[in-house]
Amino acid sequence: MTKEITLGSLPENKKFIFGDVEFTKKFNTDREEELTICHIGNTDFAVYISSCAWVKYESE
């Protein structure tokens, strides 16, 4: 079962779905913009996503 949660409150190294793509949350930035660095799928490529974005994740 998946839940929706704000990305900023998701634990580090947790997989989640955003826009039908799987990401792994790495960490929140210290910037004012409140961004989160996330790896795309199982790659080493990363993107910034707003920490306030609503994401789906699998609960354990």
Side-chain angles (χ1 to χ4, degrees), residues 10-53:
L10 196 65
E12 291 183 2
N13 296 311
K14 188 78 170 172
K15 291 187 183 295
F16 65 92
I17 303 294
F18 184 70
D20 294 328
V21 178
E22 183 181 89
F23 295 89
T24 302
K25 175 183 174 176
K26 288 303 175 181
F27 55 88
N28 296 330
T29 67
D30 294 333
R31 299 170 139 196
E32 292 177 10
E33 296 92 2
E34 294 185 2
L35 297 173
T36 302
I37 296 176
C38 305
H39 282 193
I40 303 169
N42 292 322
T43 70
D44 289 332
F45 295 101
V47 293
Y48 287 107
I49 300 176
S50 171
S51 295
C52 62

